[in-house]
Amino acid sequence: MNKHDSTFLKKFSMVIGFLIALTLVLILFARHLNTLLPQEMTAQAKAQTAARIAPIGAVYSGSTGAAAAAAAAAAAAKAATSQAAYGGTLDGEVIYNSLCTGCHTSGAGGAPMLNAAGIGARLAKSGLETLHKHAIEGFTGATGTMPARGGNPALTDEQVIASVDWMVAQSK
Ligand code: HEC
């Protein structure tokens, strides 16, 4: 072995030694980094989490449930409609004078007037039940179009019937 070769060997083994040391350092660093990662949940931890979120995740019904809320909303809507139309009055004259008179007093648009030839003739021809039904549901006949509930959807069936009965009573 000449001098040149031994110098090379010395330097070469120093480089190899350095690389081995570097490898060890990297392995240790990688192990350290691995401990910093969130660990996979154990079965016990999973059970604890499930127990913790159970009240939120469970189906909730009963007195404060959606069914009760929907029923309350429906009741409120019903109360609002029954309040809306003329204070909920069942006085046929009041309702007639507030709404139906617009057509039926003058006969506008072919509306039968409150006399024997008008509403009186309708009663003789169709009967009271049909007049109630046509006033509630609306009706298109030979002379024109009667809008459902006189055009006020807030009127209840009872209110429309009361108005028709009052009209009939005036038409003899
Ligand atoms: C926009 C005008 C108008 C208003 C408002 C109106 N009506 Fe009429 N109504 C008519 C017309 C038009 C007819 C006739 C339809 C036909 O026979 O062609 C009619 C017909 C009727 C009839 C007879 C139905 C039949 O079968 O012959 C009744 C009962 C009646 N209206 C009740 C009412 C009551 C009660 C109100 C108020 C709540 C009212 N109307 C409001 C236009 C109106």
Side-chain angles (χ1 to χ4, degrees), residues 8-76:
F8 168 75
L9 259 185
K10 229 186 198 169
K11 293 215 166 134
F12 186 68
S13 40
M14 270 169 71
V15 168
I16 294 291
F18 171 73
L19 286 177
I20 287 171
L22 183 66
T23 304
L24 288 174
V25 166
L26 286 176
I27 287 172
L28 290 174
F29 186 57
R31 285 178 67 108
H32 168 68
L33 280 186
N34 190 42
T35 65
L36 299 182
L37 286 174
Q39 299 299 301
E40 217 187 295
M41 273 181 130
T42 64
Q44 195 199 5
K46 275 184 191 161
Q48 281 173 348
T49 306
R52 206 160 50 234
I53 67 169
I56 299 160
V59 176
Y60 199 65
S61 65
S63 57
T64 55

Side-chain angles (χ1 to χ4, degrees), residues 86 92 95-96 98-104 107-112 118-119 121-123 125-128 130-136 139-152 155 159-165 167-168:
Y86 319 120
I95 299 168
Y96 179 87
S98 307
L99 177 64
C100 320
T101 183
C103 298
H104 284 276
I119 290 291
R122 301 295 180 116
L123 177 68
K125 186 178 159 228
S126 315
L128 191 58
T130 306
L131 297 193
H132 288 163
K133 185 170 179 284
H134 285 170
I136 291 167
F139 169 66
T140 300
T143 60
T145 296
M146 163 66 198
R149 297 173 198 277
N152 184 346
L155 278 175
Q159 287 180 302
V160 176
I161 288 169
S163 325
V164 174
D165 290 350
M167 287 164 75
V168 166

